[in-house]
Amino acid sequence: MQLKMTLRNRKRYQGLRVGKVLCLLTVFLVYLALPRAFAEGDEEEDGPYQGKYLGKLNSYHHQVSGDVYAVNEYTFLIVGFNYDGNGADTFFWAGASNRPGPQGFIVPDEHGKTNILDRYHNKDFTLTLPDRKKMTEIKWLAIYDLNNQNNFGDVYIPEEFEPPIAQSGGTFSKRSHNVSSSSIEILDSKTIRIKDFTYDGLGKRTFFWTGVGAQPSSRGSKMPDERGYLDPIRRYNKETIELELPGDKTIFDIDWISVYDVADNENYGHVLISDGLNVPPSLVKVTPYEFSLPNCRQLHKDMQVSWEVFGPQITFQLSGQVAKTDYMSFGISGSDVSSQMIGADVVVAYIDDIRGYTVDYNITSLAPCVQVLGQNKGVCRDDVVGGLDSFQLNTYSRKDGINTISFRRTLKSSDDGDKEIFLDRSNYVVWAFGQLDSNNEPAFHTYYPKSDIVIDFNTTEPVNDCFSFTKRMEAPVQLWERTRISDPTVRTFNAYLGPSGGLRGYQGLTGHVSSGLAWYINGYMIPELYLKRGLTYTFRVRGGNNPHSPEYYHPLVITDDPQGGYDRLSDAKQSEIRVLAGVEFTRRGRPKAAAAGPLCISRYPSNYDRRLDDHFPTFKKFNRSLVTECSDEAPALLDITPNITWPDTVYYNSFTHGNMGWKIHIIDNYSNLRGGANSNVSRWSWSWWGSLLLVQLLLVLH
């Protein structure tokens, strides 16, 4: 009996020992597996957010492999896709059956085509389901051969899968300065749409501000406004705006967005961002910034300046995400107490097809460089106004759409026209970027600040607030309506000046760069005119008759040159242009304006920001916002009678500035236009005459 009990206890003891060993072994195996499990789970989290991970393609034949993500409810992202291309009749194939088979449909390839698949090697691309089918309506995506009904590889959509979609968020808390909004919408991992956003614009130095933590604080960072500016934000009144997080930052990196005043460290209103949002990945291209100098300041989402002081010299580097034909400008303000373009000393940096350039400019007025009583005034090169080009080019490159140009100058130049760069105090600076004209001169800047920009170039510790450049696919700008005046009864044209209207206006309508002003004819910006040979027409010109003014002296001329600015051109260029009206020549052959009338100009209302021109959907609404001021003097009269020697297309323009006017079509008969060449002005005229004739006919019949 005792022996049986002893044997039973020994077995129980041995069983407990085995149990303990198995338990410890299980724990040990789990311990060994954990790092691998965590590593596999985190593998898809490394790098930029690409959407909701569906899994790796199951590979069966033809070396199919890759990782599959859900971008949104319609789109897959396939990363590192491989396929040897040897299938006979192979397509991307999707369906709702339990497993891939003949019941399904072709998914167009990355080019939107339904061609047989070629070879792929480690390629990244997106696939969009056809006919607005949703990911929740299918169970799998496969690489499938229809001829042999053979599945080469697939990935399955989990049951109750929720693809990434735009998510609604909270509203801006109403704390002060009238900050409010409707619910925000998080469109993707970098883009936030704010509806009905309101702010009174009266803060001191107020920005869109973002960061981490329970509440907004001074430890956040600036967020560019809807136009990419990092200036203090403007007034908003129930506007819908879209903000993009800067650089490589995503919605998963922040806890809140605030309207924050850094001068008083005060939060005017904020909205919290929820954790774990299932939103689509951003399609914005992120390009890391590269600079070799220790200090960097982000001036705009698309432009930054870096610098280093060494002895009596300072080295700058300008980097900008600009077009090939764009310039970047940066320099010392014309005022010691604010950022002011007038009087500024700036560099204009650009790259042509051959090399880079850094050109020293002096700004005496906001106009192209013109001669005023023998002196050059406006935005002029230093060497044109008797100064020296003080900038020495170091390096230049264009890569991934980003121009990078480095150069240096002395802190205190020997040129009296150059501004000194101070190290014992802060410096007010100016910057801009825009298009070059046909002479590689800076045209009116497209982007420029409206607030003071202050930089201390002599800091004890390096400063750097720069971030990566971002680029999204922009929708084409919707241009304002084109106007054609082809009414045969119109023989008089009232010509005066007005603003050129941003990308929707002169620049978009003509494809030319803008000088900032444009001709308005009979109340329309740069209409196309249709004039008949043999008839006499009169232009009543009010473009300014004060030759002392570099900005507002614009005699009207008609030539066969689309650019204009005849007086600015060299003798060789002038000899290539046919002048048809508006220019007389002295005995020495020098051109002289013949149609300089008093100034009549449509101006912006006071405190208006002309960078908002493209917010107007039509020219009519834009024109209604302007204030017209005209002199009481009689206009200058320019009479023309086109004849058989005139080309079919000529141009009205300014004698002094380029790119202000547009086309005149010289025709033989108006009747040929009534079938379709007429536009809003002439159509209105003919419909009015047609209505009048119809009324008269009805009266006769009655």
Side-chain angles (χ1 to χ4, degrees):
M1 189 73 166
Q2 271 188 331
L3 181 62
K4 287 183 179 179
M5 290 293 292
T6 303
L7 290 172
R8 189 179 299 164
N9 289 338
R10 183 179 295 172
K11 286 181 180 178
R12 181 180 296 173
Y13 175 70
Q14 289 175 342
L16 288 172
R17 287 185 64 189
V18 171
K20 283 186 177 181
V21 169
L22 289 174
C23 183
L24 288 171
L25 182 62
T26 302
V27 170
F28 179 68
L29 290 174
V30 170
Y31 172 76
L32 290 176
L34 275 175
R36 177 174 174 80
F38 281 123
E40 289 178 352
D42 288 347
E43 181 181 354
E44 310 308 331
E45 298 300 323
D46 293 340
Y49 172 66
Q50 300 181 101
K52 200 166 185 177
Y53 188 59
L54 286 170
K56 292 183 178 296
L57 282 166
N58 302 306
S59 181
Y60 308 124
H61 303 286
H62 292 284
Q63 301 174 26
V64 167
S65 65
D67 292 286
V68 185
Y69 297 81
V71 173
N72 54 40
E73 54 189 335
Y74 308 104
T75 308
F76 295 96
L77 170 66
I78 303 184
V79 177
F81 179 63
N82 294 286
Y83 162 59
D84 65 12
N86 292 327
D89 193 27
T90 308
F91 300 89
F92 293 115
W93 188 250
S97 56
N98 289 330
R99 56 186 299 178
Q103 300 299 318
F105 56 88
I106 293 175
V107 178
D109 64 19
E110 68 271 28
H111 306 295
K113 307 292 185 182
T114 54
N115 301 333
I116 294 173
L117 297 184
D118 290 326
R119 179 176 178 269
Y120 287 80
H121 177 66
N122 200 33
K123 193 169 182 183
D124 303 344
F125 54 90
T126 59
L127 300 177
T128 301
L129 295 171
D131 304 322
R132 300 296 287 176
K133 288 184 171 66
K134 295 184 179 181
M135 215 170 283
T136 51
E137 299 171 2
I138 63 174
K139 291 186 177 180
W140 44 261
L141 173 71
I143 293 83
Y144 192 83
D145 192 297
L146 292 179
N147 185 45
N148 300 319
Q149 295 188 11
N150 199 354
N151 178 19
F152 298 160
D154 57 32
V155 66
Y156 286 84
I157 314 298
E159 290 186 14
E160 300 181 1
F161 176 73
E162 295 182 2
I165 58 172
Q167 303 285 332
S168 294
T171 63
F172 269 79
S173 58
K174 301 177 181 179
R175 299 174 70 96
S176 59
H177 286 273
N178 295 336
V179 169
S180 65
S181 75
S182 298
S183 296
I184 69 167
E185 189 176 5
I186 302 168
L187 302 180
D188 58 44
S189 59
K190 288 185 70 66
T191 312
I192 300 97
R193 177 181 292 156
I194 308 174
K195 296 181 178 179
D196 299 320
F197 179 64
T198 298
Y199 161 61
D200 64 12
L202 299 178
K204 294 177 182 177
R205 288 188 59 77
T206 308
F207 302 92
F208 291 115
W209 196 253
T210 185
V212 297
Q215 294 289 329
S217 70
S218 60
R219 300 185 66 178
S221 59
K222 290 182 188 177
M223 185 176 184
D225 68 14
E226 73 277 14
R227 294 168 296 154
Y229 286 96
L230 294 160
D231 300 349
I233 60 176
R234 61 182 176 88
R235 176 180 178 271
Y236 296 84
N237 183 24
K238 291 190 174 297
E239 296 185 37
T240 296
I241 59 174
E242 288 186 10
L243 303 181
E244 179 190 296
L245 288 165
D248 53 7
K249 188 174 291 185
T250 70
I251 204 73
F252 308 111
D253 301 320
I254 65 171
D255 292 324
W256 43 261
I257 299 171
S258 169
V259 177
Y260 196 87
D261 191 279
V262 298
D264 293 333
N265 285 334
E266 184 178 352
N267 171 28
Y268 293 162
H270 70 279
V271 61
L272 296 176
I273 306 299
S274 302
D275 292 332
L277 290 170
N278 185 22
V279 295
S282 173
L283 300 180
V284 167
K285 177 186 177 184
V286 179
T287 305
Y289 67 94
E290 299 177 1
F291 67 97
S292 56
L293 304 179
N295 305 284
C296 189
R297 176 77 176 270
Q298 195 82 29
L299 302 172
H300 180 274
K301 181 179 80 73
D302 293 328
M303 182 175 169
Q304 54 192 216
V305 60
S306 53
W307 70 91
E308 181 179 31
V309 177
F310 186 77
Q313 291 191 327
I314 184 168
T315 299
F316 289 104
Q317 178 177 292
L318 292 180
S319 300
Q321 187 166 248
V322 296
K324 287 184 178 180
T325 56
D326 280 1
Y327 67 88
M328 300 178 289
S329 179
F330 176 82
I332 303 300
S333 168
S335 167
D336 292 334
V337 295
S338 66
S339 293
Q340 175 183 294
M341 287 285 186
I342 302 296
D345 173 31
V346 302
V347 63
V348 172
Y350 63 95
I351 301 174
D352 64 13
D353 293 333
I354 301 173
R355 52 160 291 187
Y357 298 84
T358 52
V359 186
D360 202 346
Y361 274 78
N362 190 271
I363 303 175
T364 55
S365 73
L366 299 181
C369 189
V370 295
Q371 279 212 340
V372 178
L373 299 179
Q375 290 187 325
N376 288 287
K377 296 291 181 71
V379 182
C380 297
R381 298 164 57 117
D382 273 24
D383 54 11
V384 170
V385 295
L388 301 173
D389 194 332
S390 303
F391 295 104
Q392 183 178 349
L393 177 67
N394 287 349
T395 62
Y396 58 89
S397 68
R398 180 170 178 82
K399 180 183 177 183
D400 296 325
I402 297 170
N403 281 3
T404 302
I405 304 174
S406 68
F407 52 94
R408 65 176 178 264
R409 60 156 282 186
T410 56
L411 297 169
K412 185 174 176 60
S413 170
S414 59
D415 184 354
D416 293 337
D418 286 344
K419 295 281 188 179
E420 181 178 355
I421 299 175
F422 294 99
L423 298 183
D424 57 349
R425 59 182 172 87
S426 298
N427 297 259
Y428 284 93
V429 300
V430 295
W431 64 265
F433 60 94
Q435 285 188 289
L436 294 164
D437 66 15
S438 56
N439 299 314
N440 280 342
E441 296 280 350
F444 191 84
H445 33 258
T446 310
Y447 296 92
Y448 59 98
K450 291 285 286 184
S451 62
D452 293 334
I453 311 295
V454 181
I455 295 182
D456 185 353
F457 291 111
N458 190 29
T459 57
T460 54
E461 295 292 333
V463 295
N464 180 6
D465 66 3
C466 290
F467 47 77
S468 299
F469 292 102
T470 59
K471 185 75 172 178
R472 67 171 63 243
M473 293 295 293
E474 299 287 351
V477 175
Q478 297 298 312
L479 305 180
W480 289 335
E481 62 275 17
R482 299 178 184 272
T483 302
R484 298 179 176 91
I485 300 179
S486 56
D487 186 344
T489 65
V490 176
R491 305 286 179 86
T492 301
F493 300 102
N494 292 298
Y496 61 100
L497 305 179
S500 55
L503 298 177
R504 289 176 179 257
Y506 181 92
Q507 191 169 327
L509 295 171
T510 65
H512 297 167
V513 299
S514 169
S515 67
L517 290 174
W519 281 111
Y520 284 43
I521 308 291
N522 290 2
Y524 296 94
M525 179 194 295
I526 58 160
E528 295 185 31
L529 309 181
Y530 287 77
L531 310 185
K532 183 181 177 182
R533 290 183 173 90
L535 297 182
T536 299
Y537 300 87
T538 299
F539 286 84
R540 298 165 60 86
V541 183
R542 293 182 173 90
N545 55 8
N546 179 10
H548 296 269
S549 171
E551 293 180 82
Y552 302 120
Y553 177 60
H554 297 286
L556 185 74
V557 296
I558 297 175
T559 70
D560 64 353
D561 171 37
Q563 305 294 336
Y566 184 82
D567 192 45
R568 297 180 63 206
L569 303 178
S570 65
D571 293 343
K573 286 282 188 181
Q574 288 181 355
S575 66
E576 299 173 1
I577 295 172
R578 182 180 176 187
V579 176
L580 298 161
V583 179
E584 298 173 348
F585 292 89
T586 65
R587 290 181 180 180
R588 296 183 178 181
R590 300 303 304 162
K592 186 177 76 171
L599 181 64
C600 180
I601 183 170
S602 288
R603 301 181 187 273
Y604 294 108
S606 60
N607 299 321
Y608 174 79
D609 186 350
R610 71 172 297 159
R611 300 176 302 178
L612 301 177
D613 285 356
D614 290 330
H615 285 204
F616 290 94
T618 64
F619 169 73
K620 183 180 291 186
K621 291 187 176 182
F622 172 72
N623 198 28
R624 285 175 180 169
S625 73
L626 305 176
V627 179
T628 304
E629 301 172 358
C630 297
S631 169
D632 293 334
E633 297 177 56
L637 302 180
L638 180 63
D639 295 325
I640 63 170
T641 305
N643 57 42
I644 196 171
T645 68
W646 281 41
D648 290 341
T649 304
V650 297
Y651 300 86
Y652 60 92
N653 254 307
S654 167
F655 178 68
T656 54
H657 292 187
N659 302 316
M660 287 181 58
W662 197 219
K663 295 178 181 178
I664 302 177
H665 300 275
I666 307 302
I667 61 176
D668 295 316
N669 199 324
Y670 278 109
S671 61
N672 296 332
L673 299 176
R674 298 177 193 173
N678 299 8
S679 106
N680 42 12
V681 177
S682 54
R683 277 203 300 269
W684 181 88
S685 301
W686 284 108
S687 64
W688 184 84
W689 280 106
S691 300
L692 180 61
L693 290 171
L694 180 60
V695 170
Q696 289 178 333
L697 179 62
L698 290 173
L699 288 173
V700 170
L701 292 174
H702 180 74

